[in-house]
Amino acid sequence: MATDQEIPVNQDTEFETVIGLEVHAQLLTQSKAFAPVSIAFGNPPNTNITPLCIGHPGTLPVLNENLVRYAIRIGLATGCRIAEKSIFARKNYFYPDLPKGYQISQFETPICYDGHVDITLDDGSTKRIRLKRIHMEEDAGKSIHDQDPYNTLVDLNRAGTPLVEIVTEPDISSPREAHAYLTKIKQLVQYLDICDGNMEEGSLRCDANISIRPVGRKELGTRTELKNMNSFRNVERALTYEIERQKHVVKNGGTIVQQTLLWDPVKMETRQMRSKEEAHDYRYFPEPDLPPVFVTREFLEEVKKELPELPYDRRNRFVNELKLPEPDASILTDERSIADYFEAVLSCCGPGSAKSVANLILSEVRRVLNESDLDIRAFSIGPERLAGLVKLKDSDKISSSAMQTIFNAMLGNDRTADEIAAEKNLLQVSDSGFLQPIVDEVIAGNPDEVARFREGKEGLIGFFVGQVMRQSKGKANPQMVKDLLMSRLKSSS
Amino acid sequence: MSVTRNDVLYMANLARLNLPDDEVELLARDMNKILQYIDLLNNIDTEDVPPLEHVIEPDEHFRKDVALEPLDHDLALKNAPDADADYFRVPRVIE
């Protein structure tokens, strides 16, 4: 992701940008929002369906408890107020992948409202993005237009998959901020275990409302809506493109037309949605088939109790209790899976090794993950094996360079660090019974250097250590060698 | 407020209905009658009455998140006006 060229930042001071984002997160439930059937991805078309999902008459929706639970989780994590009573509404529009003719959503009374997300800006400062609402709804099915030249094919496996829609106030002022906000939302839904956060696969989807106005003006300009931005990078690119387009229109005396635009990631431009794709008169009304949702105090308390430690708290704990430097703690907690891995390793080798484990993950492990574009959950060295390696290093049984060699040899197999260290003859000798004779031999064999050392050229200690290391074929523990040498060189002077 | 011919055509378009001319007139008349009736209700003072979305009580009981057996694939496609072995088939909706 970081390999692509950066988008040029326009230092235009005449206009400021106002952006509001709507993020849809597909929830990791077992079953659909209103029907007891799997939402598993990748099954043959039209196999994860019930009569309800295909819009048969006489069917009735029944609300999935985990849709409510997960919506409250993200609500609590973003400081929202949780509505004791909220209602579902029908959003009516006509499209083949919506067989009921309406989407069950929430309109006037969302389950969560008035929250906020704090984002970190490029200069390290924090900005608060207010959330207007988070509501529950269901996904539509999938229309396939490119398999059959004369027809549209419809797969309803996805129809009824539970979603939350997270809506910001127009508080975002640049594409960079939009990116930072999305990164934060992704991090949160992953920590909360409610969504896998994968934008490329569509489990996080983002639409943007965007307008410009002369600096200093209070009223918002006419906005356009941007859709089809299926990666973090595309969101940034599409917003940048649209800002420039709007500025160009206004500077040339034109006016912005309120419309929905699609981002074309191949041509790298926005294009107008055809009118057929646009149907903005949704005629919302309360869903008569579902009773109002009532969140009891008990249920709310239950959800509060299951909330995991959130990124910010976890980072602080890593700093305060494990004494990790703040930047290291930040990177480790950016993604829940990395932080989980770190803690799993630590539970095998004790909190005293926190620094060594953190260093190893931040350097070697991350390098391998980046090179192979792997998720840490698929990393070939499990926490227990990595802990074994850290233990060898922390007990001075191997040198730093040996650690690297062993680490590389552990990739892609299931051998332990101990096995590899023994096999490659990398274990350091810390046995003074073995080292002392070598030390004595080196001292006896270099009388000139010994004399100069005793005259004050203490820098020569490096020379002695080197000699001993050579004689021990690199297996001696350098610190121990140094200690033994020092005591010999100093005591007999 | 009264429903015009254009209102009926607009709503028909949202519902993807093709209405013959005489039905447009008929529906406009019907809808106006319904709205006149609603206007009667508008004469009642509802200033302090909260909107009633539902006549049933709020529900605090939810369905457990469990996936059961799906509907049989062939059975699901059987009633469709058009389908192939895998998909529901509808007239092409984009050019």
Side-chain angles (χ1 to χ4, degrees), chain B residues 8 42 87:
Chain B
V8 175
N42 277 342
Y87 295 99

CSV table of all heavy atoms in Angstrom, one decimal, chain B residues 8 42 87:
chain,number,residue,atom,x,y,z
B,8,VAL,N,-49.0,10.6,-10.2
B,8,VAL,CA,-49.3,9.2,-10.4
B,8,VAL,C,-48.2,8.6,-11.4
B,8,VAL,O,-47.7,7.5,-11.1
B,8,VAL,CB,-50.7,9.0,-11.1
B,8,VAL,CG1,-50.9,7.5,-11.4
B,8,VAL,CG2,-51.8,9.5,-10.1
B,42,ASN,N,-56.3,15.2,9.9
B,42,ASN,CA,-55.4,16.3,10.2
B,42,ASN,C,-56.2,17.4,11.0
B,42,ASN,O,-55.5,18.3,11.6
B,42,ASN,CB,-54.9,16.9,8.9
B,42,ASN,CG,-53.7,16.1,8.4
B,42,ASN,OD1,-53.1,15.4,9.2
B,42,ASN,ND2,-53.4,16.2,7.1
B,87,TYR,N,-28.7,-19.0,-11.1
B,87,TYR,CA,-29.1,-17.7,-10.8
B,87,TYR,C,-30.5,-17.4,-11.1
B,87,TYR,O,-31.1,-18.0,-12.1
B,87,TYR,CB,-28.2,-16.7,-11.6
B,87,TYR,CG,-26.8,-16.6,-11.2
B,87,TYR,CD1,-25.9,-17.3,-12.0
B,87,TYR,CD2,-26.3,-15.9,-10.1
B,87,TYR,CE1,-24.5,-17.3,-11.7
B,87,TYR,CE2,-25.0,-15.9,-9.8
B,87,TYR,CZ,-24.1,-16.6,-10.5
B,87,TYR,OH,-22.8,-16.5,-10.2
